[in-house]
Amino acid sequence: MLTVVTFLPLAACVLLLLVPPGVPARAFTWVWIAVATADLALVIALWAGFDAGGGLQYEQRARWMPTAGVGYHVGVDGLSLPLVAMTCVLFLAVAVHALRETRRVRSYVCLFLFLQSVCLGLFVAQDLILFFLFFDLSIVGMFFVIAGWGHGERARAAALKFFLYTFVGSLVLLLGFIGLYLAADPHTFDLVDLARADPLAGHGTWAALVLLAVGVGLAVKTPTVPFHTWLPPAHTEAPAAGSAILAGVLLKMGTYGFVRIAMPLLPGSWREYAVVFLVVGAVSAVYGALVALGQTDFKRMIAYTSVNHMGYVILAVGAAGMLAGTDAQARSLAVTGAVVQMVSHGLITGALFLLSGVLYDRAGTYVIDAYSGLAAPSPRFAALTVLAAFAGLGIPGFSGFIAEFQIFTGSLASQAVATAIALTGILLTAALFLRALRQMLLGPVRLPPTVRTGGFPDLAGTETAAIAPLLALALVIGVLPRFLLDVIEPASRTLVGLVAR
């Protein structure tokens, strides 16, 4: 069933490519919506049958390249199942949003179906080469989305920068995987076998170099400071749907890699260098918020808040490696908060990027100062933007508060100074969102000169149907988080136990 969930979108992509010309463009989007809905229904069924304390489940193994120690091995646990579900939810929202797309619709739909399979495949992969395969294919898919449906010539330059940065990062990541493979006896790329064997225990410098390679490769994709410079242009020039998937799902490939690969496979080195990740996380959180505060471009501002929010995740996983001055419960709380933050950020930032696309569609610009008083002509847009902004700054009642409360509570026990520094990011995030809301939504109505006759239309039905459920789910998690926490917490305790061994 897990394989069906993973490859159903890819199968639909192949079938759509075989459809003869003449089919209405909108029909392709409706097929995508149907496939995304079916995939989400299957994931809900997986969730219903999931035993939170049962470890890795729905496993499937098949021989692939046995002489090289590579196999098709998939499965989910409490760290990956929430991200699989979030991925399906976000792709369904983007599919609904795509009902308004008119440019090369078949290619657009097929690219996103391909990306959906790739993203799901990475989160269920239990083999390093399988993980790397999906990691690299996501770069290829997003490159074509940005270059093909972005904003003119600048989009091609941004797509190229995105590809070069993340592809080089993936090559460094592969070097780390090969280092783990060579240390294992017998040689294997299987994640479960490597976690059980801990092949680099006691290897000192070699283990540190492998962690460096893995950490840099994942940090580029996350992205953390100083590997973040590809992110703002990629987001600014990408179409709204591409930005939603890039921020909501692809960035999580980096943070998920830390909890799936770096921490359990290199526990000794992770403990030794955890303070480095704490510092990187705290710096990224504050730097991302500060630079976002200085932006005049709404979409670019949201892009930098992703650096801020992913910084919190890195802070948490760094804190989970600090054994001195803390206990297993605090470390587990930090990891749980990190996973909840991945899910929360995917939902909220996905909604924010779709909302930013509304600005560009109506007026052709993201410049904040070009707008004023949008609450009057477009109340639905204003209401959802306010909800998304407050959810993004982590007020109680939304998923962001649940995530950040756990991250800071769990991290404070081991590193009070780094955590206190990172906390200032929340104040900066509040300032930047409130500033943007005041400028764009309040006061007399003012629109850019590029706005067509008819003013600034409110959200269409398809736009509302794509964005509102994401924020509703963030609200549900914020008010009733137990259905999510019950799945994540046992897996977090297991991970903390592996790091502390």
Side-chain angles (χ1 to χ4, degrees):
M1 189 170 176
L2 198 58
T3 296
V4 173
V5 168
T6 302
F7 292 105
L8 177 61
L10 183 60
C13 168
V14 173
L15 291 175
L16 290 180
L17 289 174
L18 299 176
V19 172
V23 176
R26 202 175 179 90
F28 292 102
T29 309
W30 279 112
V31 170
W32 179 17
I33 293 172
V35 170
T37 302
D39 229 22
L40 179 58
L42 290 172
V43 170
I44 292 172
L46 290 175
W47 193 296
F50 184 78
D51 178 7
L56 193 65
Q57 295 167 56
Y58 303 113
E59 280 189 273
Q60 184 178 355
R61 294 176 182 261
R63 292 167 63 85
W64 186 13
M65 294 182 281
T67 56
V70 180
Y72 175 78
H73 183 193
V74 296
V76 290
D77 62 4
L79 301 177
S80 54
L81 183 58
L83 294 174
V84 169
M86 183 270 292
T87 298
C88 288
V89 169
L90 194 52
F91 269 97
L92 178 55
V94 168
V96 173
H97 186 268
L99 285 168
R100 48 193 295 286
E101 183 61 52
T102 58
R103 299 173 295 164
R104 304 183 305 281
V105 175
R106 186 208 302 245
S107 300
Y108 184 83
V109 167
C110 287
L111 261 178
F112 276 97
L113 285 169
F114 168 79
L115 270 173
Q116 185 169 351
S117 276
V118 166
C119 294
L120 291 170
L122 183 136
F123 292 132
V124 304
Q126 298 298 323
D127 181 277
L128 289 176
I129 296 302
L130 194 62
F131 182 99
F132 175 77
L133 173 67
F134 291 124
F135 193 91
D136 257 15
L137 289 176
S138 70
I139 299 171
V140 176
M142 188 52 65
F143 168 81
F144 285 111
V145 169
I146 298 172
W149 286 267
H151 308 315
E153 290 298 325
R154 294 178 305 174
R156 297 183 181 92
L160 182 61
K161 185 175 184 178
F162 160 78
F163 183 87
L164 292 175
Y165 266 69
T166 51
F167 184 68
V168 170
S170 74
L171 294 180
V172 177
L173 181 66
L174 181 60
L175 289 176
F177 289 175
I178 293 172
L180 282 162
Y181 169 82
L182 294 175
D185 186 17
H187 296 324
T188 182
F189 286 102
D190 190 89
L191 279 164
V192 175
D193 294 342
L194 287 169
R196 186 183 301 118
D198 191 9
L200 285 170
H203 281 67
T205 303
W206 179 248
L209 289 174
V210 171
L211 178 60
L212 176 64
V214 171
V216 168
L218 296 174
V220 172
K221 195 68 172 263
T222 297
T224 65
V225 174
F227 306 108
H228 67 288
T229 55
W230 62 264
L231 181 70
H235 272 312
T236 304
E237 305 305 332
S243 291
I245 295 301
L246 177 57
V249 183
L250 265 64
L251 301 191
K252 309 310 179 298
M253 294 179 176
T255 50
Y256 174 73
F258 282 109
V259 299
R260 175 58 65 204
I261 297 170
M263 295 176 70
L265 271 55
L266 295 157
S269 296
W270 188 264
R271 294 194 302 270
E272 186 174 356
Y273 296 100
V275 65
V276 175
F277 295 95
L278 273 166
V279 172
V280 169
V283 170
S284 296
V286 176
Y287 175 86
L290 273 173
V291 178
L293 183 61
Q295 298 305 306
T296 58
D297 181 298
F298 186 65
K299 201 178 187 190
R300 201 173 180 90
M301 182 194 79
I302 300 169
Y304 275 109
T305 64
S306 292
V307 178
N308 161 259
H309 285 94
M310 293 301 96
Y312 296 148
V313 175
I314 302 303
L315 174 79
V317 296
M322 302 292 292
L323 304 189
T326 186
D327 56 26
Q329 183 177 356
R331 298 194 301 274
S332 176
L333 187 63
V335 172
T336 300
V339 179
V340 175
Q341 177 76 326
M342 294 184 221
V343 175
S344 173
H345 179 266
L347 298 172
I348 297 168
T349 305
L352 279 167
F353 275 120
L354 293 180
L355 286 163
S356 73
V358 174
L359 295 176
Y360 195 86
D361 291 339
R362 270 61 164 180
T365 181
Y366 298 115
V367 176
I368 295 172
D369 291 344
Y371 302 93
S372 178
L374 293 183
S378 50
R380 287 195 300 275
F381 170 79
L384 291 181
T385 302
V386 168
L387 282 176
F390 278 103
L393 61 88
I395 66 167
F398 286 96
S399 55
F401 173 78
I402 302 296
E404 290 167 13
F405 177 81
Q406 292 181 307
I407 287 172
F408 293 129
T409 303
S411 302
L412 197 63
S414 60
Q415 286 295 318
V417 174
T419 306
I421 292 171
L423 267 168
T424 61
I426 294 180
L427 298 176
L428 294 170
T429 303
L432 65 92
F433 274 123
L434 291 174
R435 178 182 67 87
L437 293 178
R438 182 191 63 185
Q439 174 61 45
M440 294 195 305
L441 303 182
L442 304 180
V445 177
R446 186 177 72 251
L447 301 174
T450 51
V451 173
R452 297 184 297 271
T453 303
F456 194 96
D458 206 354
L459 294 180
T462 54
E463 292 169 328
T464 304
I467 298 166
L470 298 177
L471 298 176
L473 187 53
L475 180 62
V476 169
I477 294 172
V479 177
L480 301 169
R482 281 286 13 134
F483 78 96
L484 180 60
L485 298 180
D486 286 344
V487 170
I488 299 172
E489 286 172 350
S492 297
R493 288 193 291 268
T494 300
L495 177 62
V496 166
L498 287 172
V499 173
R501 63 184 170 178

